[in-house]
Every structure is written in C-alpha cells, then in structure tokens.
Amino acid sequence: MTDHPTSPNPTAVPATTARPNPAGVRRLAVLTSGGDAPGMNAAIRAVVRTGTQQGIEMIGVRRGFSGLHRGELVVMGARDVANIIQRGGTILLTARSRTWRTPEGRARGAQVLRDWGVDGLIVIGGDGSFHGGHYLQEEHGIPVIGIPGTIDNDLYGTDHTIGYFTAVETALDAVDKLRDTGASHERIFVIEVMGRHAGHIALDVAVAGGAEEVFIPEDHKPVAGVVEIVKDSVAKGKRGSIIIVAEGYEGGAQGVADAIEAGTGLETRVSILGHIQRGGSPVSSDRILASRLGEAAVYALMEGRKGVMVGRGASGVIYTPLHETWEKRKDVSRDLYRCAMTLSI
Ligand code: F6P
C-alpha cells in the first residue's frame, strides 16, 4: 500500500467538495480492532476515500492497536481500497491487544502516531476498541473518532452497528436450513447465535426464523420454562421446534437442550453457529451504514470533534462520547420478544 504507483493523494480539492477544516487536519490514521465484522472494509474504503478527496494524507494501521504500538503503518490512497466494498473481514487485519491495556503500550502507540505526524485516529470496532481509543486520547491528547463495527449491535449511540445486518442474515440462513432437518426428523433444534452480552441478534433471528422461544443474556430467564413451551408445542401438533439462545445466556444452548431432554425426553440437537456469523460479504445495509459513517468520521475530525463515536439514528449522524457507548446501555427490543412469542402459537 505504501508505494502504490497509481494512488497519489490529490494536492488540491475541488472547491465544490472541499469541507471546512477548522481543525487543520493534514494526516489521519485508521485501524480496525476487536472482532471482525462484515462491512469493516466498506468503512475503511469510505474513510480513506473521504480523506483523500479532502486532500488529507491517509494512513492505515495494520493489526489494530497491536500493530499501532509496533509501528505497522502504511500510507493508503484511493486505489488501495478498490474492490473491497463487498469483501468480509478487514484488509487492515485486526487483533485484541493485551499490551494496549497498559499505559506503557498506549504511550508507545502515541509516540508512533506523533512520529508519523498523525492529527487524528479513526477506530473501527466495538466497546473494547473504544476503550483503547478513549484512553489514548485522554492520556496523550490525540483526537480519536470511533466507528461502530461489531456484529453484536451492543453499542449505545447508534441504531445499528456495522456487521449486524449481515450477521443476522447469516444466522437466519442457517436457522432455515436447520428447520428443514428439524421438521423432517421431528426434532427440537436449539441454536446458539453470537452475542456475548447482548441478545440483539438472537431476537431478530427468533422473529425472522419463527422460533418457539428465545433466551438472551439480558433476561436471566430461568431455563426450566422451556420444558412447558416444548411440551405445549408438541401437544399442538408441531413437528419440530426451533429455540434460539444467545451465547451470553447462562448455560448456553447446551444448558437449554439438557433441560429440554431432561424435562420432556424428546430428541434434541444443539447447533452452535459461532464465527460463521462474523464472515461473508456484507449485505447492502451494512455497506451503506459503513460508507456513511466512514465519511462522517473524517468530517468529524476536520470539524474538530474528538472522543466521540459517529453513529446513526432517525435524525441522521449522532455523536456520542466514547465512554457513553459502553457506560450507557442500549436496550434490546422488548417488542421483538413479544412479537416472537405471539407468533409462535
Ligand atoms: O464481539 C463480537 C463477538 O463476535 C461476540 O459475539 C463473541 O462473543 C466474540 O466476538 C468472540 O470473540 P473471539 O473471536 O475473540 O472468539
């Protein structure tokens, strides 16, 4: 990426597209951190192209905060992000860095950014990544903007996070396939979807996949209730049942399946979808969200904003202090749960 011959940064920005740059931003860096999410590449593309179009030199940091304190930086131009909008994963690579949790690690990273003359850092990731960005700014004064990139959709300050829509589609596709087998064998399938602390994916998949019951970490619902639900559905003549469990629910899918088998004696299968939900080509909603937030993140730094996440709500772009994205709780939709239960008669 460093020496790409066809990716020069423009020296002059056409007056029609130039944005106010009161912060005097000349160089920006971008990294992806934490769990990868479909649409991260679309966000990188949007950040690099928006900055380039504004006459800002763009730097990519490889391997997240781990790469930052090791100095793994590369100059990126518009052509370096060609043909990635449709690709899953992240071309910049990602990591969960232990060293960054130490003040020494962050000091090394801050020095790298100063050595490269970087005026601001854009962090694409989830709450762990935003902790990293928050402390970098607090301790070293380097302006940081967060872009929400996680399949879990568990960040306060945005209706949706990049990767969430695709993860739901991937999980739903698996649920539909498992339903075929469940109905053919008259079995109960207990399907575990991702969501360490949050049930957003589980609730969406439960409604869209026609589940009998759903267990999410937010509810602390006793597992015993599932026995009556399954007995009831058998009594109604149902030939197979789908139960959705978010991975963060205590006991997970296996705990729910064990309770069903012990309480009903019925044949049950567990399917843990796992990391398959993190991969794949992003659906259009994730690409569009990533593109809009990538653009907004660069403009935010040019306007002198810092220490905030750019998110989207009904009113458009929302700026939320990084620490609020994890301190405040984004509630799961109780309406969705009610809807799933109403329709499972
Ligand atoms: O935060 C996203 C997420 O996919 C969670 O749902 C899941 O618990 C976790 O990442 C898995 O992380 P790792 O890839 O490090 O195992």
Side-chain angles (χ1 to χ4, degrees), residues 8-310:
N9 286 302
T11 46
V13 184
T16 45
T17 50
R19 300 275 298 207
N21 187 3
V25 169
R26 296 165 61 87
R27 263 190 160 195
L28 290 180
V30 57
L31 60 77
T32 49
S33 162
D36 67 327
M40 278 184 162
N41 279 326
I44 295 167
R45 171 181 179 271
V47 165
V48 169
R49 290 200 169 169
T50 303
T52 302
Q53 197 236 22
Q54 293 298 317
I56 296 167
E57 188 165 29
M58 300 304 295
I59 313 288
V61 182
R62 290 161 66 85
R63 299 188 175 82
F65 290 111
S66 299
L68 179 50
H69 70 74
R70 288 198 297 256
E72 297 182 31
L73 278 63
V74 287
V75 175
M76 295 179 86
R79 297 281 72 74
D80 293 317
V81 290
N83 201 22
I84 64 167
I85 194 168
Q86 81 287 7
R87 281 170 56 189
T90 158
I91 60 162
L92 286 176
L93 310 178
T94 186
R96 300 191 197 274
S97 171
R98 284 210 186 85
T99 311
W100 197 263
R101 293 187 198 143
T102 65
E104 298 74 27
R106 294 192 289 272
R108 275 207 299 280
Q111 192 53 50
V112 169
L113 290 174
R114 280 192 287 269
D115 291 346
W116 277 69
V118 166
D119 300 310
L121 174 67
I122 294 172
V123 174
I124 306 169
D127 64 338
S129 313
F130 290 171
H131 274 84
H134 170 77
Y135 288 114
L136 174 71
Q137 182 177 303
E138 291 287 296
E139 293 164 3
H140 302 282
I142 293 168
V144 173
I145 294 286
I147 296 180
T150 166
I151 65 162
D152 289 353
N153 197 29
D154 58 349
L155 292 170
Y156 177 86
T158 187
D159 283 356
H160 298 104
T161 55
I162 297 164
Y164 173 65
F165 294 106
T166 308
V168 169
E169 291 305 319
T170 303
L172 188 59
D173 181 53
V175 169
D176 289 347
K177 288 175 174 145
L178 293 167
R179 175 183 282 284
D180 290 345
T181 300
S184 304
H185 286 261
E186 301 182 271
R187 272 177 193 159
I188 296 146
F189 261 96
V190 183
I191 304 168
E192 187 173 296
V193 298
M194 272 193 167
R196 195 167 13 203
H197 306 295
H200 298 281
I201 295 177
L203 284 175
D204 269 8
V205 168
V207 172
E212 233 61 56
E213 177 59 295
V214 51
F215 291 92
I216 57 175
E218 291 88 338
D219 267 355
H220 309 290
K221 192 165 53 186
V223 72
V226 74
V227 173
E228 287 315 309
I229 286 171
V230 169
K231 280 183 178 167
D232 187 47
S233 70
V234 171
K236 285 175 187 159
K238 294 196 182 183
R239 290 176 175 275
S241 293
I242 300 285
I243 314 283
I244 303 293
V245 183
E247 71 173 309
Y249 176 74
E250 206 184 327
Q254 192 59 57
V256 174
D258 291 346
I260 293 171
E261 291 211 336
T264 67
L266 293 170
E267 196 177 12
T268 303
R269 290 287 187 276
V270 171
S271 185
I272 297 175
L273 303 187
H275 287 80
I276 195 169
Q277 295 157 96
R278 289 240 297 261
S281 178
V283 298
S284 59
S285 303
D286 278 324
R287 298 184 199 190
I288 294 164
L289 181 64
S291 300
R292 298 177 97 161
L293 293 183
E295 183 193 29
V298 173
Y299 294 157
L301 281 163
M302 293 170 70
E303 288 160 11
R305 295 181 198 268
K306 53 187 172 178
V308 295
M309 176 189 82
V310 289

